[in-house]
């Protein structure tokens, strides 16, 4: 007797259709799995057998062959437990075969017959809808997630016994645990507020510019100067998620198995902060069947790389192309996987190995050669892709206890040992809500002006000159700066993008000379080493 049940296998962010075929034939009792199953799928034999027995069904005492077609597609994970069990019950006559027509299902089985959550339910639901499924059966814990696709009946299963009762007509199809419209407003209670950051006006300004234009940022300063505090507040300044963007972010986290317990749509922008011991695979993604890495899990949000100079240079240099393209391609012998990674990179590092170079109160114990060796871990091409380079100084003791605004103590620290102090900039004491409102207005200008409504950091080079709107003074200053600082073409265009963002924050249609000058203050590492 032959029975079939439809399922799907994850391939990157997509789900490929899989036909589960079960054949019962005379011979010694046993269950054989074919179709390139991995170890987790092979172990389904024991899980399915125990689940059938403990749910009150009779496992067939004949030779059972389970084929997962197409046979040349590698299958992984425990999500095939439920379709294998249902096809086996249909083949043995315990479930009507016609009940499986048009049904797609995924789910892991417990030994007691319970149906446990699997990763990638949203991707499976999208594939099922595209291939004309009549209904998708998923674990109850994944039902709300799968229901986000709309236009496809979703059923949430708690146990194998419950599913069989529905298929045999004893019960009605279970509905998802949560349906209806989705509230995309994020709960900001407990979120870090920019008002908690005392002083560091230049860092706060750079944070606002990064949020408005989608620019990458590097924070350099001694321990305890507020680098991490600033970085953790960037996500709160970014515009609220739209439904399509939220669906894409939810899909990535679903495939990675990182969705929260409610299984619904993600409402907050992600903030990922991997440790500096992270490998290239964990940061970029990979595996036999690749999964998204930290850079893709931060898509639409913030990737924070603390202690940047402690990351292996070989790992950091692999970030160059993803930072430029906003997408990373991972190639394998049979497949090519593409993961989006359009996010705001915030990196933080100390100015030297001991951390105190340039500090006015604590002397640096590092020599010039040590500092240069420390900074050599950050390649020039990588720094070239970071639009905002901000140097922070430690606040004086009296500034830590006063509520009034304090002068900014930022300065430019360069790896050749030169320290350039910025002029005093007074912090205006704004909070996250105030800054986020300015960012939102600036983003609205970009959406109305830029092709595709992209942020300024994503404008294509061929459109940039026309959209920048440089005044004659700004054009002269930009040309002179590019020449004197020996900027690369990439640095020169990124300087224009930052200046355009500064103009948008000022609600100005034209980039003026002071916008170029302020943008230059965020690119101190473009200065020649012997200058």
């Amino acid at each position: 007797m032959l029975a079939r049940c439809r399922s799907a296998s994850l391939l990157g962010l997509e789900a490929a259709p899989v036909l589960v075929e079960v054949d019962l034939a005379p011979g010694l009792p046993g269950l054989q799995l074919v179709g390139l199953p991995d170890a987790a799928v092979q172990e389904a034999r024991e899980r399915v057998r125990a689940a059938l027995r403990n749910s009150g069904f009779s496992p067939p005492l004949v030779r059972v062959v389970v084929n997962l077609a197409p046979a040349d597609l590698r299958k992984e994970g425990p999500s095939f437990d439920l379709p294998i069990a249902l096809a086996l019950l249909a083949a043995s006559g315990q479930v009507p075969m016609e009940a499986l027509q048009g049904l797609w299902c995924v789910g892991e089985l417990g030994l007691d017959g319970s149906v446990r959550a699997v990763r990638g339910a949203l991707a499976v639901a999208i594939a099922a809808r595209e291939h004309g499924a009549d209904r998708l059966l998923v674990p109850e814990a994944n039902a709300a997630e799968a229901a986000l696709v709309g236009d496809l009946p979703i059923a949430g299963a708690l146990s194998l016994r419950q599913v069989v009762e529905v298929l045999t007509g004893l019960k009605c199809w279970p509905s998802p645990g949560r349906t209806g419209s989705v509230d995309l407003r994020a709960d900001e209670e407990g979120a870090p507020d920019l008002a908690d950051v005392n002083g560091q006006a230049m860092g706060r300004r750079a944070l606002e510019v990064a949020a408005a234009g989608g620019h990458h940022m590097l924070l350099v300063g001694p321990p305890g100067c507020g680098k991490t505090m600033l970085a953790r507040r960037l996500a709160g300044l970014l515009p609220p998620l739209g439904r399509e963007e939220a669906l894409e972010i939810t899909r990535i986290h679903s495939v990675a198995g990182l969705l929260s317990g409610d299984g619904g749509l993600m409402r907050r922008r992600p903030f990922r902060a991997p440790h500096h011991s992270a490998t290239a695979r964990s940061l970029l993604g990979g595996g036999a069947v690749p999964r998204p890495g930290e850079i893709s899990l931060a898509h639409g949000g913030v990737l924070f790389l603390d202690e940047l100079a402690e990351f292996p240079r070989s790992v950091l240099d692999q970030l160059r192309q993803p930072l430029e393209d906003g997408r990373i391609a991972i190639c394998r012998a049979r497949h090519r996987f593409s993961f989006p990674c359009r996010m705001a990179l915030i990196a933080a590092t100390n100015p030297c190995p001991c951390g105190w170079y340039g500090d006015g109160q604590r002397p640096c114990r590092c020599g010039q050669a040590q500092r240069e060796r420390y900074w050599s871990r950050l390649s020039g091409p990588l720094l070239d892709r970071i639009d905002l380079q901000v140097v922070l100084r430690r606040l004086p003791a009296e500034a830590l206890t006063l509520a009034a605004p304090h002068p900014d103590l930022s300065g430019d620290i360069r790896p050749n040992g030169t320290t350039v102090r910025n002029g005093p900039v007074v912090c205006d004491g704004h909070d996250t809500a105030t800054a986020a409102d300015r960012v939102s207005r600036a983003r609205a200008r970009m959406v109305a002006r830029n092709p595709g409504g992209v942020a300024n950091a994503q404008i294509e080079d061929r459109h940039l000159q026309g959209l920048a709107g440089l005044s004659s003074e700004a054009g002269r200053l930009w040309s002179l700066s590019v020449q004197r600082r020996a900027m690369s073409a990439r640095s020169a265009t990124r300087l224009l993008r930052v200046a355009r963002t500064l103009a948008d924050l000022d609600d100005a249609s034209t980039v003026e000379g002071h916008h170029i000058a302020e943008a230059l203050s965020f690119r101190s590492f473009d200065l020649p080493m012997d200058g």
Side-chain angles (χ1 to χ4, degrees), residues 218-222 227 305-310 347-352 374-375 378:
L218 171 64
L219 301 172
V220 182
K227 302 187 294 294
L305 300 183
D306 200 5
E307 307 295 346
L308 184 69
E310 300 297 338
T349 188
N350 295 325
C352 65
Y374 184 75
W375 277 91
L378 308 181

Side-chain angles (χ1 to χ4, degrees), residues 212 237-240 435-446 505:
L237 299 183
L238 297 174
D437 182 62
R438 285 198 291 268
V439 168
S440 179
R441 292 199 302 269
R443 279 288 178 110
R445 290 179 60 88
M446 297 175 202
L505 285 169

Side-chain angles (χ1 to χ4, degrees), residues 157-492:
L158 288 171
S159 67
L160 180 60
R161 165 60 68 179
Q162 175 201 31
V163 174
V164 173
E165 289 176 346
V166 170
L167 294 176
T168 54
L170 297 178
K171 289 185 178 180
C172 297
W173 279 108
S175 59
R178 184 172 51 143
T179 57
S181 60
V182 179
D183 184 7
L184 287 175
R185 294 173 296 178
D187 181 12
E188 299 299 336
E189 184 178 354
D193 197 289
L194 197 56
D196 300 333
V197 181
N198 204 2
Q200 305 298 8
M202 190 170 184
R204 292 154 65 107
R205 172 67 165 172
L207 204 68
E208 202 169 308
V209 174
H215 304 286
H216 305 310
M217 182 167 68
L218 171 64
L219 301 172
V220 182
C225 67
K227 302 187 294 294
T228 301
M229 285 189 69
L230 285 168
R232 292 191 178 277
R233 281 148 182 80
L234 177 59
L237 299 183
L238 297 174
L241 287 172
R243 179 173 175 81
E244 291 303 316
E245 193 176 11
L247 272 173
E248 185 176 28
I249 295 173
T250 302
R251 186 176 180 178
I252 295 172
H253 284 72
S254 171
V255 167
L258 296 177
L259 282 187
S260 58
D262 61 2
L265 198 66
M266 290 186 65
R267 297 179 296 167
R268 280 191 178 184
R269 293 187 177 274
F271 180 91
R272 306 292 300 183
H275 190 259
H276 58 258
S277 62
T279 63
R281 177 178 291 185
S282 66
L283 195 61
L284 303 174
V289 179
R291 297 189 189 184
E294 291 291 335
I295 192 171
S296 295
L297 293 173
H299 176 70
V302 178
L303 176 66
F304 178 42
L305 300 183
D306 200 5
E307 307 295 346
L308 184 69
E310 300 297 338
F311 280 80
R313 176 167 176 163
S314 59
V315 173
L316 291 179
D317 282 345
Q318 293 184 58
L319 294 175
R320 296 183 197 173
Q321 186 176 353
L323 290 179
E324 194 83 7
D325 300 340
R327 182 167 289 273
I328 182 168
I330 301 176
C331 299
R332 293 292 180 264
R334 298 185 179 184
H335 298 282
R336 183 179 186 274
F337 303 89
S338 181
F339 298 102
C341 55
R342 184 72 68 185
M343 46 70 202
L345 171 68
I346 304 295
T349 188
N350 295 325
C352 65
C354 77
W356 300 109
Y357 175 66
D359 187 77
Q361 301 177 35
R362 298 188 61 168
C364 174
R365 302 190 302 271
C366 307
Q368 180 68 20
Q370 285 180 286
R371 287 195 292 270
E372 291 185 1
R373 188 161 53 248
Y374 184 75
W375 277 91
S376 69
R377 302 175 189 177
L378 308 181
S379 66
L382 177 63
L383 289 175
D384 207 34
R385 288 166 166 82
I386 300 179
D387 301 348
L388 306 171
Q389 301 154 2
V390 184
V391 178
L392 307 176
R393 290 183 62 208
R394 192 160 50 101
L395 291 176
E398 60 271 15
L400 299 176
T401 57
L402 300 178
H406 302 287
D408 180 59
L409 298 174
S410 303
D412 292 337
I413 299 175
R414 294 163 52 203
N416 65 342
T418 305
T419 304
V420 182
R421 302 294 179 206
N422 295 320
V425 181
V426 177
C427 175
D428 63 1
H430 60 250
D431 56 7
T432 291
T434 305
D437 182 62
R438 285 198 291 268
V439 168
S440 179
R441 292 199 302 269
R443 279 288 178 110
R445 290 179 60 88
M446 297 175 202
V447 169
R449 179 189 65 240
N450 298 344
V454 298
N456 287 337
Q458 302 163 23
I459 301 175
E460 295 184 18
D461 291 349
R462 58 193 176 97
H463 298 308
L464 182 59
Q465 290 283 357
L467 296 174
L470 294 175
S471 67
S472 57
E473 178 191 3
R476 286 194 300 271
L477 181 57
W478 177 71
S479 299
L480 185 62
S481 301
V482 171
Q483 180 181 0
R484 290 192 173 180
R485 293 195 178 203
M487 288 185 177
S488 67
R490 181 185 291 112
S491 295

Side-chain angles (χ1 to χ4, degrees), residues 28-102:
L28 293 174
L31 193 154
Q32 182 180 4
L33 271 167
V34 296
L36 281 184
D38 72 347
V41 182
Q42 288 282 6
E43 293 169 353
R45 294 177 296 183
E46 306 306 324
R47 290 192 297 270
V48 169
R49 222 184 328 250
L52 289 173
R53 186 176 60 255
N54 293 324
S55 299
F57 303 108
S58 302
L61 299 177
V62 294
R63 183 172 181 267
V64 180
V65 177
V66 178
N67 179 43
L68 306 178
D72 61 345
L73 177 67
R74 185 165 183 82
K75 292 66 172 196
E76 67 164 3
S79 61
F80 296 102
D81 292 3
L82 184 57
I84 290 174
L86 293 181
L88 199 153
L89 289 172
S92 60
Q94 300 177 71
V95 167
M97 285 195 182
E98 56 272 15
L100 300 184
Q101 294 295 323

